Amino acid sequence: MKKLGLFFAAAVLALGAAQAAGAEGDAVASIGAFQFERGRQIAMQVGYSLHGHLNAAHDNAVLLLPPTSGGRHSYDALIGPGKPFDTDRFLIITVDPIGGGASSNPADGLGAHFPRYTIRDMVAAEARLIHDVLKIEHLHAVAGASMGSFQALEWAVHQPIPIDRLVLVAPAARSDAHFRAITDGMEAVLGGNDPHRSAAARLRAAAALFMPWLRSDAYLVRQGEASNRAEVEALARSWTRTWDPISLLYRYRASAVHDVGVPFGNDVKAALARVNARTLVVDISSDRTVPSYLTEELLKKLPSAQEVRVETDYGHSAFLAPPGSRESNAIWKPVAEFLEADAK
């Protein structure tokens, strides 16, 4: 298990470096005037990456969406020939959702005056990218973990572009008071304009607060204090390289108000009744960020879904476990099989 902890430290640093440096296939699209769900409007840019090629039938595109503090390079270790997101078979599209990376975000200059955005705003911008810029009118699948699954679920509810398959890893149809309490803690350390607290200090405090929620109690005890501190420092360095405090806070606020039922009179079941894509749900047994009771609620209200339950004490971040590890195999091998099953 200590090896998994060391991998996490390396992985978050690599994620930060990749997002800062860019990689082949990276691009930024201007999608024009964009109106947010709450009414404000700005000129919107969306950062994205393409991996693989669109086939002649234009039916092999997979949109892969990142977790809350991630971006278009969050899943790089899983993308490539013969990997779970197989570029010999699919065109894999990854994006920076609104609020971070190369997409329009508070650090562009608006700071705390940047519009408050929702998961549905992210999806609306992504749909403009896919349809208007990339000229893709059909998606083989939309997939994501954590906040990526929140976005994927909104894609399936609203279907701005038809999708065939839906992959939800560590998902929920809504956030609740549990996650909002975590976000309140993040706001307490990230917010404010105290000149004596640098951005780096605020981001490190947020990492120290949030890291234990990414793990289980058993994991934290087994790893020991030194390894746990190393994970905090790795997360803090990654966030310092890729986020400013306001941008990160706004991103967590978006996850904290996630609720697919809002446009349907706050009726989650009515929203989920609209999902007609073939669906895979991956539930992580020890998840404390998106607890299993929320995933179970989602499963009960979905019209139908295939479930994979992963028994591990690795916690919410099991989907970041190193390729080839037990956790990674348990999560991503079923995903790869689901994407391939009965595909043309």
Side-chain angles (χ1 to χ4, degrees):
M1 294 298 291
K2 288 184 183 294
K3 289 183 178 179
L4 290 178
L6 292 173
F7 172 83
F8 176 81
V12 293
L13 287 175
L15 172 61
Q19 288 181 321
E24 184 177 354
D26 285 2
V28 178
S30 295
I31 62 170
F34 180 87
Q35 183 166 322
F36 289 79
E37 187 173 42
R38 297 178 182 179
R40 290 186 58 191
Q41 182 173 292
I42 65 171
M44 180 65 67
Q45 291 190 317
V46 181
Y48 67 99
S49 297
L50 303 179
H51 312 261
H53 301 280
L54 197 62
N55 64 12
H58 288 199
D59 64 358
N60 71 327
V62 174
L63 178 61
L64 181 56
L65 300 165
T68 306
S69 61
R72 65 192 185 279
H73 291 293
S74 291
Y75 304 103
D76 279 359
L78 301 169
I79 300 171
K83 294 184 177 182
F85 295 94
D86 189 349
T87 51
D88 285 340
R89 177 66 184 84
F90 302 107
L91 169 66
I92 308 300
I93 306 165
T94 61
V95 300
D96 287 325
I98 290 173
S103 293
S104 297
N105 67 79
D108 293 339
L110 288 176
H113 298 290
F114 190 85
R116 301 288 179 90
Y117 57 90
T118 66
I119 302 297
R120 283 178 292 278
D121 288 324
M122 295 178 188
V123 170
E126 291 155 7
R128 294 258 294 269
L129 168 71
I130 300 298
H131 186 269
D132 299 348
V133 177
L134 300 180
K135 305 300 183 183
I136 294 171
E137 298 181 352
H138 170 270
L139 289 168
H140 176 69
V142 180
S146 188
M147 187 193 77
S149 76
F150 301 170
Q151 295 168 79
L153 191 57
E154 291 283 13
W155 265 91
V157 169
H158 296 282
Q159 292 216 25
I161 298 166
I163 65 175
D164 292 336
R165 299 174 194 229
L166 182 65
V167 176
L168 307 174
V169 179
R174 62 181 180 90
S175 294
D176 66 354
H178 162 85
F179 190 80
R180 286 191 286 275
I182 299 172
T183 305
D184 287 346
M186 299 278 280
E187 182 163 7
V189 297
L190 287 171
N193 296 305
D194 184 348
H196 302 293
R197 294 183 69 225
S198 67
R202 296 203 297 274
L203 289 163
R204 190 199 178 283
L209 183 154
F210 192 60
M211 191 283 287
W213 290 104
L214 298 172
R215 303 300 189 201
S216 70
D217 290 339
Y219 177 94
L220 294 171
V221 171
R222 180 175 292 111
Q223 287 293 103
E225 293 181 9
S227 291
N228 294 336
R229 284 196 295 270
E231 290 199 22
V232 169
E233 294 303 327
L235 185 58
R237 287 193 294 272
S238 175
W239 282 357
T240 300
R241 292 174 71 102
T242 56
W243 292 96
D244 70 280
I246 294 298
S247 296
L248 186 63
L249 175 58
Y250 275 33
R251 176 60 64 79
Y252 275 91
R253 281 178 173 168
S255 282
V257 298
H258 163 57
D259 187 337
V260 297
V262 168
F264 304 93
N266 297 314
D267 188 338
V268 169
K269 188 174 181 180
L272 296 179
R274 297 167 60 91
V275 176
N276 57 23
R278 184 174 175 182
T279 303
L280 175 68
V281 172
V282 180
D283 181 15
I284 299 169
S285 65
S286 56
D287 197 330
R288 298 200 301 174
T289 308
V290 182
S292 285
Y293 67 82
L294 287 176
T295 304
E296 290 168 4
E297 174 189 88
L298 166 65
L299 282 163
K300 288 177 181 177
K301 293 180 178 180
L302 274 173
S304 65
Q306 174 185 340
E307 181 187 11
V308 171
R309 183 170 174 83
V310 178
E311 297 292 340
T312 177
D313 69 0
Y314 200 63
H316 183 69
S317 290
F319 61 83
L320 290 175
S325 67
R326 184 178 69 85
E327 282 78 9
S328 183
N329 288 341
I331 292 170
W332 298 113
K333 280 190 174 182
V335 170
E337 292 167 359
F338 178 78
L339 293 176
E340 289 281 358
D342 304 323
K344 294 179 183 178

